[in-house]
Amino acid sequence: MSGTFLGMPPFPEAAKAALADAQLRHNLAHATSTIRAKRAGVVAEVADWEDLRTRAATIKDEVLAHLDGYLNELEAALTAAGATVHRAADADEACRIVGDIAAAHQATEVVKVKSMATQEIGLNEALAARGIRAWETDLAELIVQLADDLPSHILVPAIHRNRAEVREIFRTHMAQAGRAAPEDLSDRPADLAAAARIHLREKFLRARVAVSGANFAVADTGTLVVVESEGNGRMCLTLPEVLISVVGIEKLVPTFAELDVFLRLLPRSSTGERMNPYTSMWTGVTPGDGPQEVHVVLLDNGRRRVLADPVGRQALRCIRCSACLNVCPVYERTGGHAYGSVYPGPIGAILNPLLKGVGTDPQIDSLPYASSLCGACSEVCPVKIDFPEVLVHLRSQVVDAHRGDRIPKPEALVFRAVGATFASGGRLASAERVNGFAGRLLARLGTARMPGGRHTTGSLPGPGAAWTGARDLPAPPPESFRQWWARAGASGASGPEDVAPQPHSPHTQTYAAPPPLSGDALLQRFVDRVRDYRATVDVCRSGDLAAYVREALGHAGRVVVPDELGLDLGERGVPDHALTATDLDEIDAVVTRAAVGIAETGTIVLDHGSGQGRRALSLVPDLHVCVVRADQVVPDVPDALSRLDPTRPMTWISGPSATSDIELERVEGVHGPRTLHVVLVVN
């Protein structure tokens, strides 16, 4: 971001505060470097990673080129599946629609899945104005909400808070939100996550209305997809009677099969995992399973303005993975609050001005300058957004928007002077002499040196202090190129010592293509990858299945067994005869079958068919024992999608529920089952 001495938009006060906050900068550096390293590891496993990125960009561009057609197709599919579709032109209309639905059900509260779209439109505040309390259920969003704070990252919104701060927030504010934190609450992330589980459990069990967003909306089937880790998403999408999903119109994917590309890109780019713990898919209303009233609000709120910009429209490809934040040197030093929006980092620097327009708000006008144009964000973007191109494009729009200002900005005056200097050889030579004198003077004064040996200017006076207060400004070279050429001629003499070129080491990324797997190797990959997620795996023969299931259940008391499973557990077996969510909360364990197992990601997929039970069964009890047959294990995500019926509700499970929202320390068993035990039957 620019300082005012160049006349660019003002450096936000939040950014100045972030640069002065050593703890915040430490938190950000730790978080972004950790996630970058995890991402690099799992990306390197994918042989066709660059092809996937290209395919994702192509798919998204196809949607944007024919958006109205795909929206109509989605609406028709959703309506046929029993959902009610609403179109919202702006934030006010979207908030009104959601508020009217909640009020029609006499709801005084709603539970929410983490959703940037609902933050964008200010839904929580709009509902509060109507006497409806919105409860954030994602751990990081809960921390932010209790502290009356703002998110600072797309993936880990509370990364600017350390564990001691989180403990104090819980002890101070949880009681005001319904249930007090334990008196002896420690600052261990596991204890803090457990406190959040207890605090939110009662809200999940009593809620009648839930609000979600969607990561993807499939046009041809009407399927909505939510990707999450903690199980709070599954709670909101499964237990309430009414579900309202606010979906940006750019979230469309043309076909169910094309989800493959995004389900392989998003988890790796976002959390640095092969697959996130939970992915939920649902298509309208499923009788007897999940919400029986489903509403989908298709949100514009400036997206068509972005679509009309031939350069900026590529920002609508964004799948909200946060990879661009984790490589951005500006974000790492300023944090998300400096962007003044729910969308921080490079994506915020382009999306906010595109959605709202430039020329009226100094904060928004400053965002295109919140970049060094290094291009690291484009290199990691899974949908190949060309951030530098859009940033430069937006900078020109900001300049054009202020071209008619009555009082020229200092930036305009500076560049007029620069233009006049470069227009005359004599003036340029004079400027070079002055420049060289300044460089030699600073060298004699012994100012600090930058990496490579070049001197700095030190702190500039007046308006220039806004720049050098946070950056090192290189001193002018003591000798211009023309002066050096006149002295050295064509003799081949090297340039000045203090500007000697540095060695260049080009960065290359190699991808290791895994060998094709089948038979025992395929099953072993599945077992290994499931265990990678800290789940337990047993391998048995069909005749021994009952014994292995009993062993997996251990000392669990009451166990729900779907009728079709045909497993007799004696007195502790409880059939699912219309058990309520409160009933299920008293159950110790559940045993289900699976529909598919995915070897590459270690994922089990339930489509809640025979022997799998309702979605709530594998969600609420603490222990989930899942039986997978060897012939159900497939190599990767595309193979799984080809076997699944998109009209059925689906739950993709990769290990127990988990969070890393407190200082990136992973904690298992947040809102979903604390333990996942997979039994693989090999014949």
Side-chain angles (χ1 to χ4, degrees):
M1 297 183 195
S2 166
T4 56
F5 82 106
L6 284 181
M8 298 177 191
F11 195 63
E13 292 301 319
K16 295 179 185 176
L19 289 169
D21 188 336
Q23 180 63 52
L24 173 62
R25 294 181 67 176
H26 170 77
N27 291 352
L28 291 169
H30 170 65
T32 54
S33 62
T34 300
I35 299 170
R36 280 199 306 268
K38 289 179 62 181
R39 175 196 172 276
V42 294
V43 164
E45 297 174 350
V46 183
D48 59 344
W49 182 256
E50 292 305 315
D51 289 340
L52 284 175
R53 294 178 68 215
T54 300
R55 287 174 59 197
T58 301
I59 291 168
K60 283 298 212 176
D61 286 345
E62 162 65 19
V63 167
L64 298 176
H66 305 93
L67 184 59
D68 285 331
Y70 283 117
L71 285 171
N72 291 336
E73 185 179 9
L74 174 69
E75 181 171 359
L78 283 166
T79 303
T84 302
V85 179
H86 312 261
R87 305 264 186 136
D90 55 26
D92 289 342
E93 188 174 8
C95 290
R96 178 186 58 75
I97 292 168
V98 176
D100 287 350
I101 296 168
H105 291 273
Q106 291 80 49
T108 58
E109 62 178 4
V110 300
V111 289
K112 287 186 64 203
V113 186
K114 177 182 174 183
S115 163
M116 301 199 75
T118 60
Q119 290 178 4
E120 174 192 326
I121 63 176
L123 180 62
N124 290 8
E125 294 77 10
L127 291 176
R130 300 182 63 162
I132 302 168
R133 181 67 185 265
W135 299 110
E136 296 290 352
T137 62
D138 173 83
L139 176 58
E141 294 288 357
L142 173 66
I143 294 167
V144 169
Q145 184 180 44
L146 290 175
D148 194 23
D149 198 354
L150 293 170
S152 62
H153 193 280
I154 292 176
L155 174 63
V156 276
I159 195 56
H160 57 293
R161 298 286 192 174
N162 60 38
R163 63 182 68 195
E165 291 176 302
V166 174
R167 174 181 180 271
E168 190 58 33
I169 289 167
F170 281 8
R171 287 175 55 84
T172 304
H173 299 291
M174 267 190 172
Q176 303 167 12
R179 188 184 183 102
E183 284 294 326
D184 59 348
L185 181 63
S186 79
D187 65 357
R188 292 178 59 246
D191 293 340
L192 295 169
R197 178 184 175 106
I198 294 169
H199 175 76
L200 290 170
R201 197 73 163 188
E202 61 184 6
K203 296 176 175 57
F204 288 134
L205 297 179
R206 72 175 183 238
R208 298 183 59 206
V209 178
V211 177
S212 82
N215 294 92
F216 308 106
V218 183
D220 70 337
T221 63
T223 304
L224 299 186
V225 182
V226 164
V227 174
E228 50 119 2
S229 297
E230 298 175 8
N232 64 299
R234 290 182 65 192
M235 288 282 183
C236 295
L237 300 171
T238 301
L239 301 183
E241 302 165 15
V242 181
L243 173 62
I244 310 166
S245 299
V246 180
V247 184
I249 57 176
E250 82 281 13
K251 293 298 187 73
L252 272 71
V253 174
T255 67
F256 184 72
E258 285 167 308
L259 277 177
D260 149 49
V261 175
F262 300 97
L263 292 179
R264 287 196 280 169
L265 287 170
L266 178 57
R268 288 178 168 89
S269 298
S270 182
T271 58
E273 297 175 293
R274 299 181 184 101
M275 186 63 71
N276 49 288
Y278 294 137
T279 298
S280 298
M281 302 185 191
W282 72 101
T283 303
V285 175
T286 301
D289 186 355
Q292 297 301 288
E293 184 176 329
V294 173
H295 296 263
V296 178
V297 181
L298 298 176
L299 176 68
D300 183 345
N301 202 39
R303 285 158 176 78
R304 290 188 184 276
R305 174 206 291 268
V306 184
L307 189 63
D309 186 323
V311 175
R313 71 173 57 175
Q314 59 187 293
L316 295 179
R317 297 177 192 163
C318 177
I319 58 175
R320 309 293 192 266
C321 69
S322 78
C324 61
L325 280 70
N326 299 324
V327 299
C328 178
V330 175
Y331 174 84
E332 187 175 296
R333 287 157 179 79
T334 64
H337 293 163
Y339 293 82
S341 166
V342 297
Y343 301 113
I347 187 59
I350 64 174
L351 191 57
N352 294 316
L354 287 166
L355 286 171
K356 299 175 182 178
V358 300
T360 60
D361 185 335
Q363 169 71 23
I364 291 175
D365 287 354
S366 76
L367 293 179
Y369 298 93
S371 172
S372 64
L373 300 181
C374 67
C377 43
S378 294
E379 291 180 8
V380 299
C381 178
V383 290
K384 288 193 166 183
I385 297 172
D386 189 339
F387 286 92
E389 179 186 34
V390 182
L391 287 164
V392 171
H393 171 66
L394 288 170
R395 290 179 185 185
S396 70
Q397 289 189 356
V398 172
V399 171
D400 289 343
H402 294 283
R403 196 177 297 279
D405 292 354
R406 294 180 62 185
I407 301 176
K409 291 192 174 183
E411 178 188 20
L413 297 176
V414 167
F415 278 100
R416 286 178 192 173
V418 170
T421 300
F422 276 87
S424 165
R427 286 193 289 267
L428 181 58
S430 298
E432 288 174 345
R433 286 192 292 270
V434 172
N435 204 47
F437 173 77
R440 292 189 295 274
L441 177 62
L442 289 169
R444 290 195 186 99
L445 292 174
T447 55
R449 288 179 178 265
M450 301 173 63
R454 186 168 178 178
H455 285 277
T456 68
T457 61
S459 297
L460 292 178
W467 183 276
T468 55
R471 306 166 179 82
D472 291 325
L473 183 65
E479 186 177 38
S480 71
F481 173 79
R482 290 203 290 188
Q483 290 168 336
W484 170 80
W485 183 260
R487 176 174 58 81
S491 63
S494 60
E497 291 181 359
D498 64 340
V499 291
Q502 299 300 300
H504 175 63
S505 300
H507 172 74
T508 58
Q509 175 69 63
T510 58
Y511 299 97
L517 297 177
S518 61
D520 290 344
L522 179 68
L523 297 180
Q524 189 59 52
R525 172 64 61 85
F526 174 69
V527 169
D528 291 343
R529 292 290 163 85
V530 173
R531 287 174 176 161
D532 281 349
Y533 285 104
R534 303 184 190 178
T536 302
V537 186
D538 288 325
V539 181
C540 73
R541 299 187 179 277
S542 56
D544 301 323
L545 175 61
Y548 271 81
V549 169
R550 291 189 180 92
E551 180 69 21
L553 290 170
H555 299 292
R558 305 178 69 210
V559 181
V560 172
V561 184
D563 293 338
E564 306 90 342
L565 199 57
L567 189 64
D568 183 9
L569 296 178
E571 294 184 356
R572 63 176 177 169
V574 178
D576 177 27
H577 292 162
L579 295 173
T580 66
T582 303
D583 294 335
L584 287 173
D585 197 40
E586 301 298 321
I587 297 294
D588 299 305
V590 60
V591 183
T592 75
R593 291 180 182 143
V596 174
I598 306 174
E600 184 61 30
T601 61
T603 305
I604 55 174
V605 183
L606 280 63
D607 66 3
H608 306 285
S610 177
Q612 299 172 58
R614 296 176 292 133
R615 283 175 279 175
L617 296 191
S618 59
L619 168 63
V620 181
D622 263 1
L623 168 62
H624 179 198
V625 178
C626 188
V627 179
V628 182
R629 299 192 317 270
D631 63 358
Q632 293 177 309
V633 177
V634 299
D636 209 343
V637 174
D639 311 285
L641 289 172
S642 69
R643 289 197 180 194
L644 294 165
D645 179 355
T647 65
R648 300 194 60 82
M650 280 175 268
T651 305
W652 295 45
I653 302 172
S654 303
S657 61
T659 184
S660 298
D661 277 334
I662 302 174
E663 296 184 1
L664 293 187
E665 183 171 316
R666 186 177 176 90
V667 176
E668 270 86 24
V670 187
H671 298 298
R674 290 185 171 95
T675 305
L676 173 65
H677 197 126
V678 176
V679 180
L680 177 63
V681 183
V682 296
N683 70 341

